[in-house]
Amino acid sequence: MKSYNYKYPPTIKYCEELKIKGKKRKMKGIDVEYINREIDNINWDFKGENTQYLTHTFHSYPARFIPQIPREFIRILNFTIKKPIFDPFCGCGTTLVEAKLAGKDSVGSDMNPLAVLITKVKVTPIEPKLLNTETKELLKNIKRVIVREKSKVRSLLDFTENIEVEGKKYYIPPLPERNVRTKFTPEIKRELAIIKSYIDEIKDQDIRDFCYVCFSSTIRTIISSRSRHKLDVFKIFSSKLNSMIKNMSQFFYKCDKSAKAIVCQRDARNLKLKIVENDPDIPFEDESFDLIITSPPYVNALEYYREHMYNMVWLGMNWKLFKKAEIGGHSHFIQNRFRLLSEYLADMIRSFNEMSRLLAFNKFCIVVIGSSTVEDELIETYKHLIKIGELVGLSFQKLVTRNIAVERKYTSKSIGKINEEQIIIFRKLKQAEISEAEIIDFVRNTLRNMKVKNKNLAKLKEAIDKVAEDCMFRPIIQFK
């Protein structure tokens, strides 16, 4: 197998070649042999290849898939794509960025408000000169106030309350009680409050959101830092901002600005339901998309809310409501993880049902997923998702297994040492609606057919008995 070594990022010429090849092949209809041959010719490990370029570098995100995966499928299936590409679990926007670079319209959704913000910023080209002018003034104002604050002699009292400098108030939010809270020293909180306050005053929303993402990335650096030395928050923020400006400038000239990218905060289990008032008006009508590329949450693997808790607090987002709505979250059913598996499978069926409804007939759905462990039992998630796909009208076409660098993919030790993930290729050949009663029956039968260790038999039985209760859909109506 070979690995296609296109230049990263793709050139405008490459994007134009995609369009020309697409027109030629569309005349022939869907060439399945060509698709299978192209898939087989790729080394999907992409070992040693650059995964951090352009706006992909803006913000870290747990368990994200590499940009080469959506890029290659957009290339291979280019001739089948006329309507937008969709990612119902868009995370940090990898699929949408690659769609924008390839000149394809796209839509992404996620329940995580921080993910929506990051994705929106990554796919919104900002004119470099305007961005430089605005951010230069921003850094100048922030530095002036921080330098003045540092020059003052202060006691070691905790700055947990709002502070005021030269008549201007700076808000310090109350932080959740977690061990990582100790990293937010009085000085760090004070500097973050000053930076956030000046970002709030930026009038241009795209530039303001751009700076919010930089601010959030700065918080991630503070949390992940193992340095025993005092952190220079302004230096971290300004360095990240300058790096983001450079990459945005490159993205601005390389992306196809005629390709639309829309991001919304929706629940993948019921995409028609708005959960924020100012969300884009996307009807999510049947057969709206010609390609779906997504990587759903992993059961019992990690907690996105915990990863982003402090970022969301500083940005005024409600992490507690997101925690309740999270699919497959490690915080659910702590005493019996088989009950978490029940909930997860039911939520995946609802999500796949929506994906099938939205995908145009005869078009493809690409799902990237890895295995997990539940109560010390290996859960080969891809096998369940293949059955779920068939249940809702997505015909299983092909399976690709790729090796991954564990340290770059997972952040939770509970998942175990999983060093590979699966790419499932589906094709919509029929429409099959599924009822809530059928969802419960599917999950119950799945649990009944599981082979587990003797020590887990009682827990598995309890999960089977509680299936109807645990599979109940509890939508989040509104985030605040």
Side-chain angles (χ1 to χ4, degrees), residues 319-334:
W319 64 269
K320 292 181 180 179
L321 284 175
F322 173 55
K323 175 184 176 181
K324 291 180 181 178
E326 192 173 25
I327 294 176
H330 187 66
S331 61
H332 301 187
F333 300 108
I334 296 174

Side-chain angles (χ1 to χ4, degrees), residues 151-163:
S151 67
K152 294 179 181 179
V153 178
R154 290 182 173 272
S155 67
L156 293 178
L157 294 175
D158 193 0
F159 288 87
T160 55
E161 303 295 331
N162 297 350
I163 60 174

